[in-house]
Amino acid sequence: MVNSICINIYYVWFIIYFMQPKKKIRSRHKVNVKKERQKQLKLAEKKQKQLQKQADTKSEKSKQKPVKESALDIRLEKETKLYWIKAVTGALSVFILRLIGFVGWLLLFWMLFFMLAFPFVVNYALGYKFDKEEWTWKNVLRPGLGVFFFLFMIVGVILHTTLKLLGVTFYISITGVHF
């Protein structure tokens, strides 16, 4: 009984509060719509003319000089190549060595060797000419370090699990060769 009375009171309050006609708020001053629209059109025309002038001057400048790649673009291109080389190297190195039979510490040492030494071999093989001031050993190692480790671990775990499920028990570790 009490619940139905509360619900009815709430329902009546809801109807009274939300069903009232909304009061209109009048602005303090009237706006001449035609004049405002004309002002906006004039401003838009001025902006369009300025943009056209800027585009014309840019096109004239670009016609005068051929665009050269900046040093940043060249460096980013080199870093991108190193990144993807490290990604592929991380996956392939663990794939090949795990198929050979390396596990444990030998695989860890192999990963560290490829992670730290192989980028320098790749740089020498590709013949990159780096600025001595800009490129240090840190800049050679930095791009792709995370993706190398990630792909090394993912491919290694998947391949090791697959080989164990297939029953391949041959592996090489520090303690020797196991069959």
Side-chain angles (χ1 to χ4, degrees), residues 1 39-40 56 60-61 70 84 102-103 109 150 157:
M1 180 77 176
K39 286 180 186 177
Q40 289 177 354
D56 290 341
E60 289 174 7
K61 289 180 182 178
S70 68
W84 287 109
F102 280 35
V103 292
F109 293 142
F150 178 74
V157 167

Side-chain angles (χ1 to χ4, degrees), residues 77-88:
E77 183 179 322
K78 289 179 182 179
E79 283 184 4
T80 305
K81 284 181 184 177
L82 286 175
Y83 179 87
W84 287 109
I85 287 170
K86 282 188 181 180
V88 171

